Amino acid sequence: MCTYLTEKVELDGAGKGATGWFTLSQGAVYVDHPYHATHEHTVNIDFTNPAEGPSARVAVELTEESALALVEAIQKALAAAPPGLASAKR
């Protein structure tokens, strides 16, 4: 069952797409049918910069388990670094 719900977030970073590196400004996360992964449904994450057109997009399709593991790994990496080290407010 697809939820048809998309969680959007503003981003500040960079991603590497088919034409090279680009600035990321938006993210979208949703559970839906994947385009490429071999599962019925996946957690889909799109990293984009709409101002740079459709080529400024990195798409990821993960199983629920992989998505949760990624969240945990991000939290552990941030917890292991000095507070604010990777902050834009630094």
Side-chain angles (χ1 to χ4, degrees), residues 41-43 62-69:
H41 292 88
T42 52
V43 177
L62 302 170
T63 63
E64 182 176 337
E65 296 83 2
S66 291
L68 290 170

Side-chain angles (χ1 to χ4, degrees), residues 2-4 9 13 16 19 26 37 48 57 70-71 77 80 82 88:
C2 300
T3 64
Y4 301 106
V9 61
K16 188 172 183 182
T19 60
Q26 292 183 3
T48 62
R57 177 178 181 256
L70 178 60
V71 168

Side-chain angles (χ1 to χ4, degrees), residues 4-83:
Y4 301 106
L5 298 174
T6 300
E7 296 293 329
K8 294 185 178 182
V9 61
E10 289 186 24
L11 299 175
D12 182 2
K16 188 172 183 182
T19 60
W21 287 95
F22 62 94
T23 301
L24 296 176
S25 61
Q26 292 183 3
V29 181
Y30 52 98
V31 176
D32 203 344
H33 297 284
Y35 286 96
H36 188 74
T38 59
H39 302 284
E40 185 69 25
H41 292 88
T42 52
V43 177
N44 303 315
I45 306 169
D46 294 333
F47 300 99
T48 62
N49 184 336
E52 293 189 29
S55 65
R57 177 178 181 256
V58 174
V60 179
E61 300 172 341
L62 302 170
T63 63
E64 182 176 337
E65 296 83 2
S66 291
L68 290 170
L70 178 60
V71 168
E72 184 178 347
I74 291 169
Q75 291 174 329
K76 285 181 179 179
L78 288 172

